[in-house]
Amino acid sequence: MRRRFMLTSTAAILILAVSYATAALAGNPATPVLAQGSTVQNVNVTFDEWSISARQMAVRANQPVHFTLYNAGTESHRLSVGRGDDDAVSSPSSRPGQDPAVLDMTFDTPGVYQVWCPFETDGVQHRDLGMVATLTIVPEEDTPVVEVPISEGNYYIQSRAVSA
């Protein structure tokens, strides 16, 4: 009986992992979509209070990146990308219930960048409330991947990587 439970739990966890990866590949607006072998890399990001749904993103250097911002919250948000506040590039504002905002960029230097909302509410930065994510720029010849941690009950799987 115990072996059957372990196999059933393992199967359920694997199905969950495959479902998450399939959703990522299908272009769920809350999941980053990484376009390989194309000239434009599309990254979808959803904001709400106080989070960014794509916590980790990865794209290739020297290829255009098209960020699409969906606002699922009640506050206005904006996407800023950079290694620090001084070199950040920001999208137009994304207001609740309106069309998504977009930001087009090309990164020529591989490395790790921050993605955040630069707005504040009641004197508190949205970034400090949790609206921050990581963007990894990989060399042009590499494949961008995003790690997908999965937990189910007492089980935890740290996959090697999921790539689209």
Side-chain angles (χ1 to χ4, degrees):
M1 182 60 102
R2 183 170 200 152
R3 176 175 266 169
R4 179 180 291 165
F5 173 74
M6 286 178 52
L7 290 174
T8 303
S9 297
T10 303
I13 291 169
L14 290 174
I15 288 169
L16 181 64
V18 170
S19 297
Y20 185 86
T22 302
L25 296 174
N28 177 347
T31 306
V33 177
L34 309 174
Q36 293 182 12
S38 67
T39 55
V40 175
Q41 303 169 96
N42 295 305
V43 177
N44 297 326
V45 180
T46 300
F47 284 137
D48 64 11
E49 285 73 48
W50 304 106
S51 67
I52 296 177
S53 67
R55 288 286 193 194
Q56 297 181 21
M57 299 166 254
V59 295
R60 286 188 178 109
N62 299 314
Q63 292 184 8
V65 180
H66 180 79
F67 292 96
T68 304
L69 259 59
Y70 297 91
N71 189 341
T74 58
E75 301 275 334
S76 291
H77 298 292
R78 176 178 287 161
L79 180 79
S80 288
V81 180
R83 291 197 169 168
D85 291 336
D86 295 335
D87 69 346
V89 176
S90 295
S91 72
S93 294
S94 175
R95 293 189 172 97
Q98 293 191 343
D99 289 338
V102 297
L103 176 64
D104 294 309
M105 298 179 70
T106 300
F107 299 88
D108 54 0
T109 306
V112 178
Y113 293 74
Q114 263 197 347
V115 176
W116 71 93
C117 178
F119 286 168
E120 66 178 58
T121 298
D122 297 327
V124 179
Q125 295 288 325
H126 289 191
R127 176 192 229 168
D128 295 336
L129 294 171
M131 297 189 75
V132 63
T134 301
L135 173 66
T136 302
I137 310 301
V138 300
E140 193 171 355
E141 62 278 359
D142 287 355
T143 300
V145 295
V146 176
E147 292 187 4
V148 182
I150 299 167
S151 65
E152 178 63 32
N154 295 330
Y155 298 96
Y156 179 81
I157 296 174
Q158 177 65 48
S159 63
R160 286 261 185 226
V162 174
S163 63

